[in-house]
Amino acid sequence: MLQSLASNSCVRLIQTHKSTWYFVSLVVGYLLYLIFGAVVFSSVELPYEDLLRQDLRTIKKQFLQENDCLSEERLEQFLRKALEASNYGVSILNNASANWNWDFTSALFFASTVLSTTGYGHTAPLSDGGKAFCIIYSMIGIPFTLLFLTAVVQRIMVFSTRRPITYIHTHWGLSKPLVAIVHATVLAMLAVSCFFLIPAAIFSALEENWNFLESFYFCFISLSTIGLGDYVPGEAANQKFRELYKVGITVYLILGLIVMLVVLETFCELQQLKQLRKMFYLKKEKPVDRLAILEHDQLSFTTVSNSSTTQSQDKSQMFVSVPTLASPNDDPMIQ
């Protein structure tokens, strides 16, 4: 008996706080997914990092043996300075000295990566004035970019998603949720083809050291605004039409980001995903003023109904209170 009562109370507790339990499971699942990613990345990349460290130690040792006049301290000092310059996008190599990081097209590309929060990190401001301006420029530009993207996506969604789904639903008589799922799938396939597969093939042809996988990796990292910066196009030595190439990449990033947001918004409007999101949201509580109005209306309605019921009962009693005659002799008028 006690066990059944305990089980019933537990079930009742879970049902009353269903949204909270869903949210807790979501948080636990996200943390497990983070741990899973860390384990996989560590197991895959750690051996390559160790191998690269060993190769660098071997090359450094061989270089010092071949150059007895150079001490290890001087060499490390020189390498440290070169690496610091490389972190700011300045290379000491002769074949990279012709590429400037702060000409107009490169600065335009940098501004687009800042405003879109991609931030490759291959180029960074060198001066204090540039760093201060970058902070102010980002504080104003990032909300401005969000407003711009929201307005553009809202207008595109009308013609790319809402009107086609409504037209097919009304003229062909198909189920609206089914039409929305098929439309979202087709739109996602078109976006992947036009902004991932085709650009990856183009980048693999234009960039000498990139294969198709690396080019596709760059497209995904860029349009998802991750921006690791390990692959940046247009940075190779003797790049043909480098200025025009940088402008084209900037336009590609802006258009690709808009298309990705359109696809995500299309999927977010699916009825199934809306129901899935509601599982983890808190239920909206009614405002106190609204509850008071509802209670007042309910009390007024109850009072009116009670008074009407009382009046109807009084009226019925006026007719029901007439005495019934057992026989005609009982009538006083007859007597």
Side-chain angles (χ1 to χ4, degrees):
M1 184 66 180
L2 294 176
Q3 292 180 355
S4 62
L5 290 175
S7 61
N8 291 331
S9 61
C10 291
V11 171
R12 194 179 302 108
L13 179 63
I14 293 174
Q15 289 179 352
T16 53
H17 300 280
K18 188 182 295 184
S19 176
T20 304
W21 290 110
Y22 284 149
F23 178 74
V24 171
S25 63
L26 179 65
V27 173
V28 173
Y30 186 75
L31 293 176
L32 292 176
Y33 192 73
L34 283 176
I35 295 172
F36 169 74
V39 170
V40 173
F41 283 128
S42 178
S43 60
V44 171
E45 296 297 330
L46 193 59
Y48 286 92
E49 180 185 0
D50 184 55
L51 182 62
L52 182 59
R53 288 177 181 271
Q54 293 178 5
D55 291 339
L56 288 176
R57 291 193 190 99
T58 302
I59 294 173
K60 178 183 174 183
K61 184 178 180 180
Q62 183 178 358
F63 181 81
L64 290 174
Q65 289 177 355
E66 293 176 356
N67 299 272
D68 297 335
C69 60
L70 183 63
S71 62
E72 185 176 0
E73 290 77 12
R74 293 289 301 275
L75 178 61
E76 289 186 355
Q77 184 179 2
F78 171 75
L79 292 177
R80 189 180 299 109
K81 193 70 176 179
L83 290 175
E84 289 178 358
S86 179
N87 291 332
Y88 287 96
V90 179
S91 177
I92 199 173
L93 301 177
N94 292 328
N95 56 3
S97 59
N99 295 335
W100 292 88
N101 293 323
W102 293 106
D103 55 354
F104 178 75
T105 55
S106 299
L108 180 65
F109 178 71
F110 173 78
S112 66
T113 58
V114 169
L115 295 183
S116 62
T117 67
T118 304
Y120 292 112
H122 70 293
T123 303
L126 301 174
S127 62
D128 293 338
K131 294 174 183 178
F133 176 74
C134 185
I135 295 173
I136 300 173
Y137 184 72
S138 302
M139 290 176 61
I140 300 174
I142 291 176
F144 188 28
T145 303
L146 294 176
L147 176 62
F148 165 73
L149 293 176
T150 303
V152 171
V153 169
Q154 190 271 337
R155 292 177 177 270
I156 293 176
M157 285 288 294
V158 175
F159 299 97
S160 66
T161 300
R162 298 190 180 100
R163 287 187 180 179
I165 292 176
T166 305
Y167 179 84
I168 295 174
H169 171 65
T170 54
H171 288 75
W172 293 7
L174 297 176
S175 174
K176 197 169 184 179
L178 178 62
V179 174
I181 292 175
V182 175
H183 175 268
T185 304
V186 173
L187 189 64
M189 293 175 63
L190 289 175
V192 170
S193 300
C194 296
F195 288 90
F196 287 93
L197 297 177
I198 296 176
I202 295 174
F203 284 128
S204 61
L206 295 178
E207 298 291 333
E208 296 180 356
N209 299 323
W210 292 16
N211 55 28
F212 183 80
L213 177 61
E214 292 170 340
S215 302
F216 188 87
Y217 169 80
F218 163 75
C219 295
F220 178 80
I221 293 298
S222 300
L223 297 185
S224 59
T225 67
I226 298 174
L228 297 178
D230 49 351
Y231 289 92
V232 180
E235 297 298 322
N238 301 322
Q239 179 72 50
K240 295 181 180 180
F241 307 105
R242 185 173 183 269
E243 291 78 10
L244 183 61
Y245 189 33
K246 285 287 187 180
V247 173
I249 296 169
T250 303
V251 175
Y252 162 74
L253 291 177
I254 295 175
L255 292 179
L257 186 58
I258 292 173
V259 171
M260 291 300 103
L261 291 176
V262 169
V263 173
L264 289 176
E265 185 67 21
T266 302
F267 274 94
C268 287
E269 289 190 355
L270 294 178
Q271 192 65 30
Q272 293 81 359
L273 290 182
K274 287 182 179 180
Q275 294 176 357
L276 180 63
R277 293 199 306 270
K278 287 181 180 179
M279 293 172 56
F280 307 102
Y281 292 167
L282 286 174
K283 293 183 179 180
K284 293 183 179 180
E285 297 181 356
K286 295 180 180 179
V288 179
D289 297 337
R290 186 178 177 185
L291 288 174
I293 293 173
L294 291 175
E295 291 177 357
H296 181 268
D297 293 341
Q298 186 176 3
L299 290 174
S300 301
F301 178 75
T302 305
T303 305
V304 171
S305 61
N306 291 335
S307 62
S308 62
T309 304
T310 305
Q311 291 177 1
S312 62
Q313 289 178 357
D314 294 338
K315 289 181 180 180
S316 62
Q317 289 177 0
M318 290 174 62
F319 294 99
V320 173
S321 61
V322 178
T324 57
L325 299 178
S327 64
N329 297 326
D330 295 335
D331 191 351
M333 296 297 294
I334 295 176
Q335 293 176 358

